[in-house]
Amino acid sequence: ASCVSLSRLKDLELAPLGDSDVHIKMLAAPINPADINMIQGTYGLLAQLPAVGGNEGVGQVLGVGSRVTSVGAGDWVIPADAGLGTWRTEAVFPEEALLRVPSDVPVLCAATLGVNPCTAYRMLADFETLRPGDSVIQNAANSGVGQAVIQIAKASGIRTINVVRARPDLPKLVERLVSLGADHVITEEMLRKPDMNDIFKSIPKPRLALNCVGGKSATEMLRHLQPKGTMVTYGGMAKQPVTVPVSAFIFKDVKLRGFWMTQWKKDQMHNKDGLQSMMQSLCELVRKGQLREPACTEVPLEDYRAALEASMKPFTSSKQILIL
């Protein structure tokens, strides 16, 4: 069955507000690929059915239980973890499931802050020690994570080589990624051409490759990595395995790693400092105008079916955001 036919709009009873609970009114929640995968049952995290969809979004606190200390009425909050079910107008959540975010950032930024920019931030920080002047290569560069990688890297003086699929509106897409700070935007086909050598006349070969596609795209990106470089896989849009030439392992000693934001957040649950300081850094970039929300289409909740359908179309460069 399709995602759309599995989804319904329902009125639910609000849970009573416990001492450690927070009553929130949701403001906006995006539809991410992972949300679709969860509904399809192909994700690493599956909800107990029936469930409310949506892993990300921003809400405003309407009221708090007597023991709640980290947030108060009027504050903006986002989920601290996946699986909360954000596609709803109101909810009562436990305090530890929420993270306060400043309400002076644009609402669409806040709604899309918790997954894609965090993924981009962690992958740039946790696998290779990158310095200004270094370069990174990534596929699916027009995805939400890809757009965040371009901007966060740019703010740190790191150059990006961005791979996208050839498409009808390619010049428009290239222009948009360049306006975000992309140094080079190339197609999958170009990855395999000798012209790549021209790029490496002006910038060093990447020490880090970020793979969200798999299959041929990942193999081709690997060829351009520096010896001892790392390729991090965080998605598999081609639904094909990552294939590595043996020579890349032996003679270039490349490292292959995986990254899942949900797992990183789980590992931080006992200590939210890492999460809080990352959010602070990201909000700082937003305030300085160095990190914008991804290209978005705002959709009222009652049109959720159209939004789900649009989010599954090929070559989508605009994130569907439910306005609640």
Side-chain angles (χ1 to χ4, degrees), residues 166-221:
R167 62 194 64 218
D169 59 346
L170 187 64
K172 212 165 95 189
L173 176 61
V174 171
E175 194 183 317
R176 195 158 65 79
L177 297 183
V178 168
S179 77
L180 292 178
D183 294 277
H184 297 276
V185 184
I186 59 170
T187 60
E188 296 277 359
E189 291 67 41
M190 230 193 106
L191 253 188
R192 305 180 180 96
K193 299 242 168 81
D195 312 6
M196 284 299 288
N197 298 329
D198 294 343
I199 289 179
F200 299 122
K201 284 176 185 157
S202 59
I203 68 174
K205 289 214 158 197
R207 296 233 303 280
L208 181 66
L210 305 176
N211 166 44
C212 180
V213 178
K216 227 182 221 153
S217 176
T219 311
E220 293 296 340
M221 277 205 310

Side-chain angles (χ1 to χ4, degrees), residues 14-219:
L14 257 192
L17 185 70
D19 290 347
S20 307
D21 290 339
V22 179
H23 177 198
I24 67 171
K25 173 197 184 313
M26 289 301 299
L27 302 173
I31 298 177
N32 289 322
D35 302 326
I36 302 285
N37 296 150
M38 265 180 90
I39 298 171
Q40 290 165 334
T42 57
Y43 199 57
L45 177 75
L46 299 177
Q48 291 280 304
L49 298 175
V52 178
N55 288 299
E56 183 179 37
V58 63
Q60 186 169 32
V61 177
L62 296 175
V64 299
S66 56
R67 291 218 194 105
V68 172
T69 54
S70 62
V71 296
D75 284 345
W76 279 15
V77 289
I78 64 172
D81 204 357
L84 215 51
T86 53
W87 299 346
R88 57 173 116 203
T89 52
E90 273 184 60
V92 171
F93 291 130
E95 175 185 17
E96 79 257 12
L98 301 168
L99 203 61
R100 192 163 76 82
V101 290
S103 52
D104 65 346
V105 299
V107 70
L108 296 182
C109 259
T112 52
L113 203 57
V115 177
N116 294 337
C118 290
T119 301
Y121 185 97
R122 291 267 58 99
M123 292 194 303
L124 288 169
D126 294 354
F127 295 93
E128 289 283 342
T129 310
L130 298 171
R131 297 188 177 85
D134 284 346
S135 80
V136 172
I137 189 166
Q138 64 165 345
N139 54 24
N142 58 310
S143 67
V145 172
Q147 294 174 56
V149 164
I150 290 169
Q151 296 170 86
I152 296 166
K154 174 83 172 173
S156 318
I158 295 158
R159 267 87 67 88
T160 55
I161 302 158
N162 301 281
V163 186
V164 295
R165 288 184 297 169
R167 62 194 64 218
D169 59 346
L170 187 64
K172 212 165 95 189
L173 176 61
V174 171
E175 194 183 317
R176 195 158 65 79
L177 297 183
V178 168
S179 77
L180 292 178
D183 294 277
H184 297 276
V185 184
I186 59 170
T187 60
E188 296 277 359
E189 291 67 41
M190 230 193 106
L191 253 188
R192 305 180 180 96
K193 299 242 168 81
D195 312 6
M196 284 299 288
N197 298 329
D198 294 343
I199 289 179
F200 299 122
K201 284 176 185 157
S202 59
I203 68 174
K205 289 214 158 197
R207 296 233 303 280
L208 181 66
L210 305 176
N211 166 44
C212 180
V213 178
K216 227 182 221 153
S217 176
T219 311

